[in-house]
Amino acid sequence: MATYAEMQEIFEDIKSDLRYDHELNGCLNCGICTATCPSAHFYDYSPREIVQLLWTENVEQIYDAMQEKIWACAQCMTCAARCPFKNSPGGLVSIMREVAIKHGMQSAKDVLRPFGRVMLKLITTGNQLSPDMIQPDHFPDWGPNIQKVKGNLKTLRKAIPVRTLQTTDTAWETSLKTSVEMYTIWEMTGVLKQLETMDENLYDVIQDFIEEKREEYEESLEEQEQGNG
Ligand code: SF4
Ligand code: SF4
């Protein structure tokens, strides 16, 4: 449990986000956002409540909402499109989630843990999914619908006019140069720092991988230079 001072600090971080004043403009308490929110139908969650907590600056209840409620939002932004006050409860939730990550809150760690494998795949290959992975063994939760793409994948992809999407072997292959550029973007935007806060082991594995890839890239540049010289 955080101290009151820590809760205040968390709220100050939310409030100082550049998007905050744009996403929160007051509240009529009309409930339109909650009435149209898909998550509110299935979970103990209400975008109106989130807006009210932030508007009244109740730091303890804001902290409490960050333990579970904010993770129920589907980020569909229906609320932002409907609010007569031009609030964006979904946008505010987005800020709160980022602050939860920044502060290494346990709720963020619990929610993000299952995505560790996705993150590893994304960073090490540049893709979350390769076309060849769309097979029944990988997606048992898709049920019989997966049969519609199974087997016909190569034929189906040949029908796609973009050249790089015509084969399942080379489609989505990320070049070394692009990978190294992505690592730099993730570093400079703080994504890797966030990952370190959330999962130190995964961060170490990914850092080792990035270092290897960078060395590989440097070597390929040197070879290229020698070839030109
Ligand atoms: S963005 Fe979140 S809060 Fe807004 S309607 Fe969608 S699920 Fe509900
Ligand atoms: S729709 Fe807007 S004004 Fe109405 S309760 Fe939701 S946030 Fe408040």
Side-chain angles (χ1 to χ4, degrees), residues 133-202:
M133 285 172 68
I134 306 174
Q135 298 296 340
D137 289 350
H138 295 105
F139 296 96
D141 51 321
W142 283 17
N145 284 339
I146 190 73
Q147 299 298 340
K148 289 180 188 164
V149 290
K150 181 186 178 279
N152 290 326
L153 206 59
K154 288 196 174 177
T155 313
L156 289 170
R157 296 194 80 82
K158 274 186 185 155
I160 299 172
V162 181
R163 199 170 184 280
T164 52
L165 294 177
Q166 284 179 11
T167 74
T168 53
D169 298 333
T170 57
W172 303 4
E173 201 174 276
T174 313
S175 77
L176 195 52
K177 181 171 182 283
T178 305
S179 296
V180 170
E181 283 171 358
M182 284 195 308
Y183 307 147
T184 307
I185 292 169
W186 287 325
E187 260 170 17
M188 297 194 76
T189 53
V191 170
L192 290 177
K193 182 81 198 140
Q194 287 179 330
L195 178 64
E196 189 181 12
T197 315
M198 286 293 98
D199 188 336
E200 219 170 317
N201 290 337
L202 181 62

Side-chain angles (χ1 to χ4, degrees), residues 29 62 74:
N29 215 0
I62 289 167

Side-chain angles (χ1 to χ4, degrees), residues 9-38:
E9 195 189 323
I10 286 170
F11 176 60
E12 284 310 318
D13 275 349
I14 295 170
K15 210 174 162 185
S16 62
D17 188 285
L18 284 175
R19 295 161 291 178
Y20 190 80
D21 287 341
H22 179 71
E23 313 285 45
L24 183 64
N25 303 298
C27 183
L28 289 170
N29 215 0
C30 64
I32 291 174
C33 54
T34 299
T36 56
C37 170

Side-chain angles (χ1 to χ4, degrees), residues 51-62:
V51 168
Q52 290 280 322
L53 292 180
L54 292 170
W55 187 246
T56 53
E57 305 197 349
N58 187 324
V59 295
E60 281 168 315
Q61 287 182 13
I62 289 167

